[in-house]
Amino acid sequence: MTKPRRNVQFQHRGSNGHHGRRPSISETSEGGSVPGSPKMNGASEVSQEEKETLPQSDYDKKKATFVTRTIWTLVMIAGFFISMFAGHIYVIGIVTAVQIVSFKEVIAIANVPSKAKNLPFTRSLNWYFLGTTMYFLYGESVIYYFKHIILVDRVLLPFATHHRFISFMLYVIGFVFFVGSLKKGHYRFQFTQFAWTHMALALINVQSHFIMNNIFEGMIWFFLPASLVITNDIFAYICGITFGRTQLIKLSPKKTVEGFVGAWILTIFFGFAMTNVLMRYKYFICPVNDLGANIFTGLQCNPNPVFRPQTHTIPLPLLLHTPPVTFSIAPMQFHILVFATFASLIAPFGGFFASGLKRTFKVKDFGESIPGHGGITDRMDCQFIMGFFAYMYYQSFIAVYRASVGGVIEMAVQGLTGEEQVEVLKGLGKYLVGQGMVGSEVGECLAGVMARRR
């Protein structure tokens, strides 16, 4: 029987200085307590690095977010005022960019990348329908407000007279392509995307179309509704944190009834004061007749009667033995009460709708287009419905419908034959000569041209 071997040493991984023995607890504690040992120095260095890489506290995060949000808020405000003073065409450019980015953000939250990867035409169709919709809506606005230019141009005339048919055929092409691209196993996803795209077009692009029409009607109809929504949001925040107690709606837990009502009152005061300032400048109240105009060149027009002060008298009881109170105020000051009320009580529900949409898809923001704010849609959710209301209210209660040069030209081009148009021109020439507005040589020239035509 073999005897066990003594003093046999086995190599252990990581043995150092203990002849292969695993160090005891006492040895470990003694070795760890030696000051200045390399092991302890390394541990202290690691702990220092860990301290440097510790995540920021909630306070630091909120502070950084607040600073970023404030900076970009100032940038957006500055850009907004610069573009507004630079001219209507720049504001239209901003509205166009906003609706394109908003459409992109809304479409993205319902997209499923794994499925879209197998359907290469899904995103292309989304953008095709966007382009078709913008062509139709922008064409409608340009033709309506610039008839006197479009309808006298030989190249643009066919596109103007057949604009709606061309737009319809463009949509039909996209519709046929969508049906032809349906793929087995992806029907639900494709039809969901189709419906989602049309909902985004209706909620974003159609309402943006009316906002652009507000710009053409006068800068005040764009700036005033937008500023009412912005200031109402600020007032609601201030009133909410000051004396807010009662929750308003579950979709936005931070909204309070006190902030909601307080913001309504303050927004009315702001709207009254802002309207009083804007009414003094024709650049804001005149419809666009020159896209090259800016705050320095200004615009010239016969102002809408709603901006002209009217005198009102309030009779007092006879017992007071005092004369009636007389004061002057523009009708627009009464209309602004309606605008401010809608901006305070109805427009916020556009934001609540957007909050419900984000909760449905479990996303915090629509995107990251604006640092500290989220996406463009997060900032514009209330503006779309407010701009839509402003257009409808203006057209129903404020707009003055008069015959315009573009309207007369449209009637003559689309409703009269060539011979009838010549007769109108001849009669108009005689009238202008008779009124002394043009010289007799102009009438003779027209008569000569008519004679040669016959």
Side-chain angles (χ1 to χ4, degrees), residues 335-451:
H335 290 296
I336 197 60
L337 300 178
V338 182
F339 277 77
T341 299
F342 189 92
S344 303
L345 305 183
I346 306 299
F349 282 85
F352 302 151
F353 177 85
S355 298
L357 202 61
K358 288 185 287 187
R359 288 176 181 269
T360 301
F361 290 94
K362 299 179 180 179
V363 295
K364 182 181 179 181
D365 298 311
F366 281 99
E368 299 178 352
S369 305
I370 311 173
H373 290 267
I376 289 287
T377 313
D378 294 290
R379 300 277 68 82
M380 296 297 297
D381 46 15
C382 301
Q383 295 287 359
F384 291 124
I385 190 172
M386 184 66 201
F388 194 6
F389 167 79
Y391 176 82
M392 293 300 176
Y393 187 89
Y394 170 80
Q395 294 293 333
S396 300
F397 302 105
I398 298 177
V400 177
Y401 297 99
R402 295 190 295 260
S404 63
V405 175
V408 173
I409 294 176
E410 181 183 22
M411 293 176 59
V413 170
Q414 297 182 353
L416 300 177
T417 63
E419 294 181 355
E420 291 172 335
Q421 293 171 9
V422 170
E423 289 298 323
V424 170
L425 184 60
K426 183 179 178 181
L428 185 60
K430 289 182 178 179
Y431 170 79
L432 295 176
V433 172
Q435 295 294 319
M437 301 179 67
V438 297
S440 58
E441 63 276 4
V442 175
E444 295 174 359
C445 179
L446 286 175
V449 171
M450 307 284 181

Side-chain angles (χ1 to χ4, degrees), residues 61-237:
K61 288 181 179 179
K62 290 181 179 179
K63 181 179 179 182
T65 302
F66 176 78
V67 172
T68 303
R69 189 184 183 95
T70 303
I71 292 174
W72 278 94
T73 298
L74 296 176
V75 169
M76 288 189 294
I77 292 175
F80 176 76
F81 277 99
I82 290 173
S83 62
M84 184 175 64
F85 294 149
H88 299 74
I89 190 67
Y90 296 97
V91 180
I92 292 172
I94 289 178
V95 173
T96 302
V98 165
Q99 64 175 305
I100 292 174
V101 177
S102 297
F103 176 82
K104 175 180 176 294
E105 292 175 347
V106 172
I107 289 297
I109 65 172
N111 190 31
V112 181
S114 59
K115 293 185 178 181
K117 186 176 181 180
N118 299 324
L119 302 168
F121 296 110
T122 300
R123 295 185 62 183
S124 301
L125 279 172
N126 291 339
W127 289 104
Y128 176 83
F129 283 123
L130 173 65
T132 301
T133 304
M134 292 183 66
Y135 172 80
F136 169 69
L137 296 176
Y138 275 64
E140 287 288 306
S141 297
V142 171
I143 293 171
Y144 180 80
Y145 290 102
F146 298 97
K147 295 174 184 176
H148 57 289
I149 298 175
I150 304 296
L151 297 178
V152 298
D153 189 280
R154 178 175 296 182
V155 177
L156 298 178
L157 180 60
F159 291 96
T161 54
H162 306 296
H163 171 70
R164 294 180 179 177
F165 180 77
I166 295 172
S167 302
F168 174 74
M169 292 308 300
L170 288 173
Y171 177 82
V172 168
I173 291 172
F175 175 78
V176 171
F177 193 83
F178 165 75
V179 175
S181 66
L182 290 174
K183 190 175 181 180
K184 187 177 181 180
H186 299 278
Y187 293 152
R188 181 184 295 273
F189 172 74
Q190 287 181 289
F191 277 104
T192 300
Q193 287 292 304
F194 184 80
W196 187 256
T197 300
H198 283 70
M199 187 201 76
L201 292 173
L203 294 179
I204 297 174
N205 300 95
V206 173
Q207 293 188 108
S208 297
H209 162 69
F210 294 109
I211 293 176
M212 191 174 67
N213 286 352
N214 291 339
I215 299 172
F216 286 128
E217 294 290 352
M219 189 67 79
I220 190 173
W221 307 114
F222 166 78
F223 176 72
L224 199 56
S227 62
L228 288 174
V229 170
I230 295 171
T231 53
N232 177 259
D233 190 41
I234 297 173
F235 291 145
Y237 175 76

